[in-house]
Amino acid sequence: MTRSGHPPFPLELLAPPDPATLPLPPASHPEPGVELLRGAVYAVPDGSRPLELDLWRPAEPDGPAPLVVFVHGGGWRTGRRDDMGPRFRAWRPGPFARLVQAGLAVACLDYRLSGEAHFPAQRDDLAAALRWLGRRADELAVDRSRTVLWGESAGAHLAALAALTSSGSSVRGCVCWYGPSDLGALAEDHGGGFDADDPTTREARLLGAAPAADKELTRDASPVHHVSEGSPAFLLLHGTDDTLVPSRQSVRLADALREAGAPVELRLVGGAQHLWVGLPDEGVTECFDRSVEFARELTR
């Protein structure tokens, strides 16, 4: 009893409900044969907003669908989970509907941005999403054992980290579009255009410190340092004219994967800037189609 004679308040009632038990959102049908569950809560980190994902899946599946987990870009500081980048916003049907029409389900994730939490919160969020998808795989009609991660820019960095550090063997591969892979080597790869001591860069805001100020954390946040013999297959696509994330970053990751004996395909896309700026429409479509083909090959 409290001093007032009342029983103590049951503090467990203040805890958020387990996302694995929450009802799924109602389905919509944005395209023929495509079902969309928008805004399913997959985690509620302490002190943070609920994190949501959208699940795109076949409307009439023959069985559990292979799963693509998409991670958006935005310099770890901005971005939307349903945005693959400016070159895809006018696509009709959109890229996620096209993935479903290719026989894949797609989960598009929120994660905590760098203004909300520092690394490794973002890696933890992806791990939580993979756990949630696994726990609810049956009711979602997805095959969690056939998962491919796919990210662009900062999302490619996080997708690669998740693919290389996730426990178990459910992640079969990872598609990375123009993503950073070695934060400690950015100054070298930029040829003097990046200051590793600057606490205001996108990378420093992610880490909570300038990369040069905490080399151990910078190493832990770099996918290239998590490569092992058992790493899943990677498809790396990067524009040769990228001035935001030098294509050398993808070369570094490809080299590390090859050295470890892990399967990797590296495509350096001539004349392309970051976000596929400067690439003709047919070139953007080729990058997308090869990525879809890669995901389908791994999840057959």
Side-chain angles (χ1 to χ4, degrees):
M1 302 290 287
T2 63
R3 290 182 180 180
S4 63
H6 297 294
F9 182 82
L11 293 177
E12 63 272 12
L13 295 180
L14 297 177
D18 182 355
T21 66
L22 290 173
L24 296 173
S28 63
H29 297 84
E31 298 287 346
V34 177
E35 189 169 83
L36 171 60
L37 307 181
R38 188 181 294 277
V41 174
Y42 75 81
V44 187
D46 187 37
S48 175
R49 62 190 167 97
L51 299 176
E52 299 179 345
L53 61 79
D54 300 336
L55 182 71
W56 301 70
R57 64 186 184 184
E60 298 180 1
D62 295 331
L67 180 63
V68 169
V69 177
F70 176 77
V71 191
H72 72 82
W76 305 284
R77 197 160 185 83
T78 185
R80 298 197 331 261
R81 64 177 181 261
D82 60 353
D83 189 9
M84 194 172 273
R87 297 300 301 272
F88 300 91
R89 291 171 190 162
W91 277 25
R92 297 294 181 273
F96 303 121
R98 296 189 190 200
L99 279 162
V100 174
Q101 291 167 350
L104 301 161
V106 190
C108 306
L109 311 181
D110 280 339
Y111 55 86
R112 282 172 286 178
L113 303 174
S114 62
E116 301 172 294
H118 296 139
F119 181 84
Q122 296 74 21
R123 183 173 64 191
D124 295 343
D125 294 342
L126 267 65
L130 291 172
R131 288 194 300 271
W132 184 90
L133 289 162
R135 292 177 68 183
R136 306 195 71 165
D138 289 345
E139 61 184 311
L140 295 172
V142 300
D143 186 347
R144 176 69 176 82
S145 69
R146 294 185 290 161
T147 298
V148 172
L149 295 168
W150 181 337
E152 61 99 17
S153 193
H157 162 264
L158 296 176
L161 273 176
L164 294 167
T165 61
S166 62
S167 59
S169 58
S170 61
V171 175
R172 296 194 180 182
C174 186
V175 177
C176 294
W177 287 0
Y178 42 82
S181 72
D182 189 345
L183 305 188
L186 280 171
E188 177 182 345
D189 292 349
H190 271 288
F194 178 85
D195 184 357
D197 292 301
D198 184 353
T200 67
T201 63
R202 290 181 293 270
E203 292 75 14
R205 293 182 187 278
L206 171 70
L207 298 173
D214 193 332
K215 293 183 179 180
E216 183 177 349
L217 179 63
T218 299
R219 181 182 178 87
D220 187 38
S222 297
V224 72
H225 295 299
H226 293 279
V227 171
S228 67
E229 183 180 358
S231 295
F234 271 75
L235 172 65
L236 309 174
L237 287 83
H238 211 129
T240 59
D241 293 356
D242 195 328
T243 56
L244 288 184
V245 179
S247 60
R248 175 66 183 156
Q249 287 280 298
S250 285
V251 173
R252 289 180 184 275
L253 182 53
D255 288 346
L257 288 161
R258 290 193 190 104
E259 185 176 350
V264 58
E265 177 184 339
L266 170 65
R267 292 195 175 194
L268 298 178
V269 183
Q273 247 282 14
H274 205 67
L275 303 175
W276 303 136
V277 170
L279 191 63
D281 288 345
E282 57 269 24
V284 176
T285 300
E286 287 176 8
C287 290
F288 178 82
D289 288 348
R290 175 60 193 127
S291 301
V292 174
E293 181 184 15
F294 174 82
R296 292 187 66 189
E297 289 170 352
L298 290 180
T299 57
R300 286 195 178 112

